[in-house]
Amino acid sequence: MATALCPGSFDPVTLGHLDIIERTARHFDEVIVAVIRNPKKADPLFSLEERQEMLAEVVGHLGNVRIEFFKGLLVDFARDEGAEAIVKGLRAVSDFDYELQMAQMNQRLSGIDTFFISTSPQHSFLSSSLVREVARFGGDVSSMVPETVAQRLVDRFSGGER
Ligand code: PNS
């Protein structure tokens, strides 16, 4: 059985992430959405539990996708899960250098291959950090994130919590 990891912080999950997860699920028997527990980025907007809830709500229609947390090296998690591939979305050339470097490091460390999927053009400008910033200042992100996430962002930032 071929298992792939879709790793990330998912703070919060965007329509761009969902697009990559859905397309990965068409090519692999099983997909693990791997949510990092100890990201370099301090001060997340949503807790791990909230991120898991949002992900569960938006991938519920995909029977071969599950959500797991990991900490430490992604390749160690991949080995523990028996995953044979990492799948990432590439939005633009600006993603390429860093993603290539990580893919090569992961390959050197473990032999695991990274597959890149081109982000759908309508999502190519999207990132969780930009979505957070727009939502923080009251911008409309309803076309950029799943409905449940948009609502949580509104709830989080209503009442002056900016
Ligand atoms: O959504 P993000 O924050 O861009 O995801 C980055 C992530 C979690 C995929 C990346 O930071 C990662 O794989 N971290 C795990 C630690 C690790 O394995 N580091 C070596 C990478 S070469």
Side-chain angles (χ1 to χ4, degrees):
M1 187 167 81
T3 299
L5 301 183
C6 287
S9 313
F10 304 103
D11 186 30
V13 59
T14 68
L15 290 178
H17 291 129
L18 187 56
D19 176 50
I20 298 298
I21 294 166
E22 285 174 341
R23 289 160 67 197
T24 304
R26 285 186 219 143
H27 296 286
F28 288 86
D29 300 309
E30 181 185 48
V31 177
I32 301 174
V33 178
V35 184
I36 188 164
R37 273 187 188 278
N38 54 341
K40 282 186 275 186
K41 305 161 193 165
D43 202 17
L45 178 61
F46 290 105
S47 69
L48 282 172
E49 290 68 30
E50 289 172 315
R51 281 183 260 163
Q52 183 182 35
E53 279 170 22
M54 287 185 273
L55 278 163
E57 284 166 17
V58 303
V59 303
H61 62 295
L62 302 167
N64 60 340
V65 176
R66 62 186 163 95
I67 301 150
E68 301 286 350
F69 296 117
F70 77 101
K71 61 181 177 183
L73 289 177
L74 182 62
V75 293
D76 290 339
F77 178 70
R79 186 198 55 228
D80 294 346
E81 292 288 339
E84 63 190 51
I86 295 166
V87 178
K88 297 280 194 81
L90 272 188
R91 289 168 295 196
V93 177
S94 50
D95 280 345
F96 184 76
D97 281 352
Y98 186 51
E99 290 295 345
L100 180 65
Q101 198 179 9
M102 283 200 288
Q104 290 172 326
M105 175 62 83
N106 286 332
Q107 222 282 336
R108 171 69 62 85
L109 287 172
S110 68
I112 194 165
D113 282 319
T114 298
F115 294 77
F116 294 111
I117 296 185
S118 58
T119 295
S120 297
Q122 68 270 29
H123 303 313
S124 64
F125 65 99
L126 272 183
S127 69
S128 296
S129 57
L130 268 185
V131 163
R132 289 197 303 271
E133 182 169 318
V134 171
R136 185 183 303 275
F137 295 110
D140 179 9
V141 294
S142 58
S143 66
M144 304 169 202
V145 294
E147 208 177 317
T148 178
V149 176
Q151 189 54 53
R152 283 183 193 243
L153 284 163
V154 169
D155 294 346
R156 181 58 46 100
F157 290 122
S158 62
E161 193 193 321
R162 286 179 187 163

